[in-house]
Amino acid sequence: MRIDFQPGDYREVACDLLAYPVFEDEAKTFSPLEPLNRITRGAVKSVISSREFKPDLHQICRICKPAGLKARNLLLVGAGNRSKFDPAKLRELAGIVVRSAKSRACKNVALLCRGIPLTGLASRLAAEGALYGDYELDIYKTRDNEPRNVEILQLLFDRRAARKEVEEGIRRGIITGEATNYARTLANEPSNILTPAQFAERAAAMGEQAGLAVQVLEREELERLGMNTLLAVGRGSDEPPKLIVLRIKGQEKRRARQPLYALVGKGVTFDSGGISIKPSEKMEEMKGDMAGGAAVLGAMLALAQLHPRRAVVGLIPAVENLPSGKAVKPGDVVKSYLGKTVEIINTDAEGRLILADAIAYARTLGAGCIIDIATLTGAIGIALGHVNAGVLGTDQRTIDRLRRNCSVTGEKLWQLPLDDEYRKAIRSEIADIKNVGNRAGGAITAAKFLQEFVEDVPWVHLDIAGVDLDNDGRPFACKGATGFGVRTLVNLLE
Ligand code: BES
Ligand code: ZN
Ligand code: ZN
């Protein structure tokens, strides 16, 4: 899809679909819609007064062969309450427009940025949303219809920032949009395809293209280093575990002056629970238990192209958690890479085990700030539903910055506490720590476990288990992996 921009006399734009955002209050006062209504000979008023179209957020109404326009179709798009319209909504509208266009096989599409000046940010978000909406989950469909691709999306505007700024916004939006879709592709892959080895191979291939140095630590190396909590999780599977490390080429010099940011993503390519096996209902969703790792790969792909000032390293412990005669068992004690011993009470609390070693390894690489992202606990979904991801940690400045960015990233974060008192739940009788507490505060005790391995390094933990997957369907995206976290991480670091 090519994304372009031009001044917006929408009457003159010859395209397959012209999208025209409408705010809720305009359906009542109507006067701002009068010019369009006049041109289309009353078509707009007619669909609004008949209630065929209500400009609630995300509602759409298509008018075929509208009078007075050169466009083949006019798409009215509900923009909701004007006072609640934040930049992230523009991203969603762009996604809706692209999806509607695809469903009607419209190739040439124009989106009128009404009342919103086309700034660098606005153009970036529109581009991101367009690519997000364009993404389909169809690679395993052998009998599908013809691909219906939007070939060109034109952003029409009344007012715009400097041309350079808009061009740069679009360029950046395409980079983050593609990186988010890349993460979605990985998280949607079934686990028979995306094994830990395949995960590492994809990382290497992507790194080669994007200019990242990718190193894969193999099982023997992990054994030599003593990464036993990572190895313990992988032991039940025939697929050997890997630790994937990604660096941006050319950043070596910068490290002395500023902290190295380590992005650590949980990469469990399938989580059966291991010996503490999960119920079979919805177990198939656990192919996406590497969504945190996918977000780190996506973020690194984008950052490689955005040349951030901050130095970044990505780490992804990749394993498959299965039961077998070799699998780790409840009650087993293992010594982590950091040296702390862990009693594994529940083999289904495997994410924190692999992250523990990856986090400790990040510290040996000199990380001055650790950000981990993981589908870590079912409890976070119970606490926050599918709207906000949980954020916890010790680096309050970074947490505040991440939360401030939410209105732009569209990825909502809600902070949970980390008081010392929660530590008690993971005290072990036999080892330094055990890997689960009781059910109370499950997302917090999971983070407390990670904190044992972070120690004094400034740290942020993102628990994305409630938001990594969309089963309900949203009008601006296909169902499946959401790619949550790519935009949050990129926005923080670029
Ligand atoms: N991968 C799961 C968490 C999860 C649950 C992700 C639902 C996405 C949707 C994690 O490894 C897990 O199984 N956690 C356990 C921890 C428990 C044993 C303390 C959980 O949340 O039940
Ligand atoms: Zn688990
Ligand atoms: Zn898991």
Side-chain angles (χ1 to χ4, degrees):
M1 187 193 323
R2 192 157 66 85
I3 302 176
D4 225 332
F5 60 101
Q6 64 174 72
D9 185 358
Y10 59 85
R11 288 169 303 186
E12 296 304 319
V13 177
C15 59
D16 299 320
L17 186 92
L18 167 70
Y20 190 103
V22 180
F23 291 97
E24 271 169 18
D25 57 315
E26 293 176 330
K28 293 183 200 108
T29 59
F30 205 75
S31 52
L33 299 177
E34 207 49 85
L36 178 68
N37 190 48
R38 229 178 298 118
I39 294 162
T40 58
R41 302 211 196 103
V44 175
K45 193 157 206 170
S46 153
V47 292
I48 291 177
S49 50
S50 67
R51 309 232 168 167
E52 212 175 306
F53 175 61
K54 261 182 81 183
D56 292 355
L57 187 63
H58 297 165
Q59 297 297 316
I60 52 172
C61 176
R62 188 174 63 101
I63 298 171
C64 292
K65 301 204 181 92
L69 299 178
K70 292 207 171 133
R72 271 205 305 125
N73 294 278
L74 170 65
L75 188 76
L76 302 178
V77 190
N81 190 315
R82 194 190 293 269
S83 61
K84 290 192 188 148
F85 195 83
D86 63 13
K89 302 265 168 34
L90 181 61
R91 179 191 290 112
E92 295 178 359
L93 294 196
I96 291 171
V97 170
V98 167
R99 292 193 77 69
S100 318
K102 281 165 70 107
S103 73
R104 306 268 166 203
C106 295
K107 291 182 162 46
N108 185 345
V109 180
L111 166 60
L112 181 65
C113 300
R114 280 188 70 224
I116 327 159
L118 194 62
T119 57
L121 178 64
S123 53
R124 174 180 188 157
L125 299 185
E128 274 180 11
L131 293 183
Y132 199 88
D134 195 32
Y135 178 86
E136 297 291 352
L137 226 185
D138 56 5
I139 56 173
Y140 294 110
K141 302 227 190 223
T142 56
R143 289 184 300 121
D144 213 352
N145 341 325
E146 295 278 285
R148 295 171 164 199
N149 291 327
V150 171
E151 285 169 8
I152 172 153
L153 173 68
Q154 301 196 57
L155 305 174
L156 309 180
F157 56 85
D158 310 321
R159 281 176 295 140
R160 70 159 162 86
R163 166 168 287 276
K164 271 237 160 70
E165 206 181 298
V166 177
E167 279 169 353
E168 179 62 5
I170 292 175
R171 186 185 80 87
R172 287 178 171 252
I174 291 173
I175 289 170
T176 38
E178 282 178 348
T180 306
N181 288 347
Y182 174 71
R184 293 165 85 191
T185 301
L186 291 172
N188 280 325
E189 284 288 23
S191 72
N192 60 325
I193 305 285
L194 199 92
T195 57
Q198 180 58 211
F199 204 173
E201 259 179 49
R202 300 239 186 146
M206 180 278 280
E208 174 93 14
Q209 263 206 329
L212 295 166
V214 181
Q215 184 191 4
V216 179
L217 305 193
E218 303 290 343
R219 179 157 56 194
E220 300 66 35
E221 181 69 1
L222 301 173
E223 281 167 358
R224 205 183 56 73
L225 290 166
M227 295 213 186
N228 298 314
T229 53
L230 170 51
L231 288 160
V233 175
R235 201 171 298 147
S237 168
D238 288 344
E239 299 288 343
K242 314 268 175 187
L243 178 61
I244 308 167
V245 183
L246 307 106
R247 291 185 181 80
I248 299 177
K249 286 184 189 160
Q251 277 199 334
E252 298 80 3
K253 283 176 274 130
R254 295 164 207 252
R255 280 185 44 189
R257 276 187 284 126
Q258 50 180 319
L260 173 67
Y261 283 77
L263 307 180
V264 186
K266 171 176 173 181
V268 177
T269 59
F270 187 74
D271 181 13
S272 71
I275 297 293
S276 316
I277 198 159
K278 287 179 180 294
S280 37
E281 199 187 341
K282 297 253 178 96
M283 202 204 267
E284 72 280 3
E285 289 183 0
M286 287 301 123
K287 70 175 187 176
D289 207 20
M290 32 55 70
V296 168
L297 267 197
M300 293 301 289
L301 167 60
L303 290 170
Q305 301 164 77
L306 293 169
H307 311 294
R309 274 187 294 125
R310 297 193 164 91
V312 193
V313 58
L315 295 112
I316 303 162
V319 288
E320 189 174 60
N321 186 20
L322 290 182
S324 82
K326 293 206 184 91
V328 68
K329 303 173 294 299
D332 288 0
V333 174
V334 293
K335 187 169 193 155
S336 68
Y337 176 62
L338 187 67
K340 292 190 181 180
T341 54
V342 180
E343 182 187 11
I344 298 176
I345 299 290
N346 189 319
T347 65
D348 196 12
E350 84 298 339
R352 60 199 79 179
L353 296 173
I354 67 169
L355 290 173
D357 276 353
I359 284 170
Y361 187 66
R363 288 173 57 189
T364 66
L365 299 180
C369 178
I370 297 174
I371 303 176
D372 79 80
I373 176 161
T375 47
L376 203 63
T377 66
I380 201 72
I382 303 298
L384 302 177
H386 305 306
V387 178
N388 279 273
V391 57
L392 305 95
T394 53
D395 183 351
Q396 193 58 43
R397 270 190 59 200
T398 304
I399 292 174
D400 291 342
R401 195 182 316 150
L402 285 167
R403 292 208 57 216
R404 269 200 308 276
N405 289 346
C406 290
S407 65
V408 168
T409 65
E411 297 183 329
K412 299 188 182 193
L413 302 172
W414 194 260
Q415 187 171 4
L416 273 68
L418 258 186
D419 305 72
D420 289 342
E421 290 89 327
Y422 291 107
R423 167 69 174 76
K424 211 167 70 190
I426 48 173
R427 264 191 217 151
S428 164
E429 298 299 324
I430 187 171
D432 294 333
I433 190 172
K434 60 183 181 181
N435 78 328
V436 296
N438 46 30
R439 275 162 57 87
I444 300 174
T445 52
K448 284 311 269 187
F449 182 90
L450 297 180
Q451 193 179 2
E452 288 294 310
F453 299 87
V454 175
E455 294 184 319
D456 293 332
V457 179
W459 160 68
V460 179
H461 161 59
L462 301 170
D463 191 339
I464 59 166
V467 292
D468 65 305
L469 192 62
D470 169 50
N471 286 326
D472 305 332
R474 297 166 299 165
F476 49 86
C478 69
K479 289 184 185 178
T482 60
F484 192 105
V486 175
R487 296 196 302 260
T488 297
L489 296 174
V490 172
N491 209 274
L492 179 78
L493 291 169
E494 71 182 303

